[in-house]
Amino acid sequence: MLAAGILLSGCTKDGETIILPTPGEEQPSTTPLVTVIYDPDGLGDRSYNDLIYKGVEEAAKKYGLRTLQLAPENREQGLAYLETMFKQIENLNDTVRRLFVTPSIVYDAYIRANNKRLETNPYADLLFMETAKPLDGKGSTFYIDYYGAMYMSGCMVHYAAWDLVSLLLANPYIQTVKEAGDGFQAGFNDTPQLNVDKPLLLDVRYLSEDPVGGFKIADSTATRIFNEERHYISGKNVNNVTLVPVCGGAMHAFFRAAKSIVSSYKYVGVDGDMTADKDNCIFSTLKRIDKVMVDYIGMWLNGTMPKHQILGLADGATDVIVGNYTYAYSIKGGLWDNGLNMDSLRQVAIRKEGERYEK
């Protein structure tokens, strides 16, 4: 934030006071400003939060904006950032347009108790992400429904995994995480087994009982859990475990653990496109949050940002993509040889997502 330059005052002939900037001093910018306050330690997850960062910076380049992206170390620091933001807005009397964004449900109670404070400033607005409940008072919200894309993933994993699929969920309290897990399990259970004599098994595990936990995990813990998954089938050592990590940045601890234990491992990429890892990633389930951020900032600038919106597979906010998985059993070959039509599956998943949300 730029500090105001030293000001000089003078009077007109009518006695009105005018303020003049000191010559040569840099003046505060009038360029619109987008400020993002992330989850505690959210940035650097090489996943959802990093995609938000990317989308905000792309929007800034596209529309000529300033950005301030804040990554608090803990919840208390994040709340302090928010309180500072609200206090500034209440006392500002300039006409600079400001959009405050938070993608963290951790701040839900604070946001809902304080968002009306923004109503004193017509040039400030708020975007609160990943909540299915609209705000009372000033501010917009949106929610990305992951059920349909994860339903597709649960179906498709049958065509590329052996022995065991390990669905790793951060915690059972965050709606997006639970919804992703429910969608994957529904798709898995709705898909006939390709080998009835040796069916593919699914194990579901929550990593934390903390309402906001499970997104960071020690490598030693990931190693222990991965070894437990390998012994899931009748206590035998199973090398063919496919990981489905719906746990943010914690997924990378599991990838490191798997790589250190077995010569080859498989996983479903979650949130971002990880198919460049063609030796391990069988396909990726995407939240195109970077694109959504560019779109929303554009709508904010032109005054069309909706009060509340639900986005999903039908809107292109989520998707599943198949890369160039290089093991002998190619997922592309498996899908096509077994008669699975991706377009048809997508339409089924969109319908399932809609039915789920209606309920």
Side-chain angles (χ1 to χ4, degrees):
M1 308 285 264
L2 295 174
I6 299 173
L7 302 178
L8 296 176
S9 64
C11 293
T12 66
K13 65 179 181 180
D14 297 321
E16 297 172 337
T17 302
I18 58 172
I19 304 296
L20 299 173
T22 301
E25 287 287 341
E26 186 175 11
Q27 299 306 303
S29 175
T30 58
T31 302
L33 173 66
V34 178
T35 300
V36 189
I37 300 176
Y38 289 91
D39 272 311
D41 284 329
L43 277 181
D45 62 359
R46 288 181 284 171
S47 181
Y48 181 73
N49 288 291
D50 285 8
L51 287 172
I52 293 171
Y53 184 97
K54 175 187 174 186
V56 170
E57 294 304 318
E58 286 180 358
K61 183 177 180 180
K62 180 176 181 179
Y63 299 117
L65 308 174
R66 294 178 295 153
T67 64
L68 179 62
Q69 307 221 42
L70 302 173
E73 295 180 359
N74 50 54
R75 181 175 180 273
E76 290 68 31
Q77 189 176 65
L79 290 172
Y81 286 157
L82 285 167
E83 179 58 25
T84 299
M85 173 190 85
F86 280 112
K87 282 184 177 178
Q88 287 179 339
I89 289 303
E90 288 174 321
N91 295 302
L92 285 171
N93 57 8
D94 60 29
T95 58
V96 176
R97 295 191 65 188
R98 292 174 172 86
L99 175 65
F100 296 95
V101 180
T102 181
S104 177
I105 204 68
V106 171
Y107 309 127
D108 183 86
Y110 180 91
I111 291 291
R112 293 185 187 281
N114 289 275
N115 63 300
K116 291 183 179 180
R117 293 164 65 183
L118 293 179
E119 293 172 359
T120 61
N121 189 324
Y123 302 100
D125 214 333
L126 172 70
L127 177 59
F128 185 30
M129 299 159 53
E130 297 296 27
T131 175
K133 180 182 177 183
L135 289 170
D136 291 329
K138 194 167 188 178
S140 294
T141 50
F142 72 76
Y143 181 74
I144 295 182
D145 193 328
Y146 222 174
Y147 189 88
M150 292 301 291
Y151 183 95
M152 286 186 68
S153 295
C155 172
M156 291 168 60
V157 77
H158 279 276
Y159 297 86
W162 297 270
D163 296 336
L164 178 66
V165 176
S166 178
L167 177 60
L168 303 167
L169 303 168
N171 67 68
Y173 303 104
I174 294 180
Q175 182 176 351
T176 52
V177 173
K178 186 177 185 307
E179 191 172 73
D182 290 347
F184 187 88
Q185 291 175 77
F188 185 93
N189 293 330
D190 286 354
T191 304
Q193 292 281 348
L194 298 182
N195 185 349
V196 294
D197 295 324
K198 191 179 180 182
L200 181 65
L201 300 178
L202 172 64
D203 184 40
V204 181
R205 179 188 289 250
Y206 285 103
L207 303 180
S208 175
E209 286 299 317
D210 186 322
V212 295
F215 295 101
K216 292 183 67 177
I217 193 170
D219 282 16
S220 58
T221 303
T223 299
R224 173 181 58 77
I225 292 174
F226 184 72
N227 273 323
E228 289 173 359
E229 293 297 291
R230 292 177 65 222
H231 287 80
Y232 176 84
I233 303 175
S234 302
K236 296 179 180 179
N237 245 356
V238 177
N239 286 332
N240 293 318
V241 177
T242 298
L243 301 172
V244 186
V246 188
C247 50
M251 74 174 73
H252 300 289
F254 285 103
F255 296 162
R256 291 190 293 268
K259 189 174 183 179
S260 68
I261 294 171
V262 296
S263 58
S264 63
Y265 68 99
K266 297 184 287 296
Y267 66 89
V268 173
V270 177
D271 286 348
D273 182 1
M274 302 177 189
T275 56
D277 181 7
K278 59 184 181 180
D279 292 329
N280 302 293
C281 180
I282 54 178
F283 56 84
S284 281
T285 312
L286 308 181
K287 272 191 178 182
R288 299 190 184 278
I289 190 63
D290 49 344
K291 177 182 180 299
V292 172
M293 291 309 302
V294 175
D295 292 344
Y296 255 80
I297 290 173
M299 288 188 290
W300 166 66
L301 286 170
N302 64 30
T304 61
M305 187 167 67
K307 178 67 177 175
H308 183 66
Q309 196 171 22
I310 303 292
L311 303 169
L313 193 60
D315 310 286
T318 66
D319 202 0
V320 181
I321 59 171
V322 179
N324 294 305
Y325 181 54
T326 56
Y327 281 109
Y329 188 97
S330 164
I331 183 172
K332 285 184 176 178
L335 289 170
W336 312 149
D337 293 346
N338 286 281
L340 179 64
N341 183 290
M342 287 289 287
D343 290 335
S344 296
L345 175 58
R346 187 182 306 277
Q347 293 308 310
V348 170
I350 288 172
R351 176 171 56 82
K352 295 281 187 178
E353 185 172 76
E355 291 173 354
R356 160 86 174 196
Y357 186 73
E358 299 254 339
K359 291 178 183 178

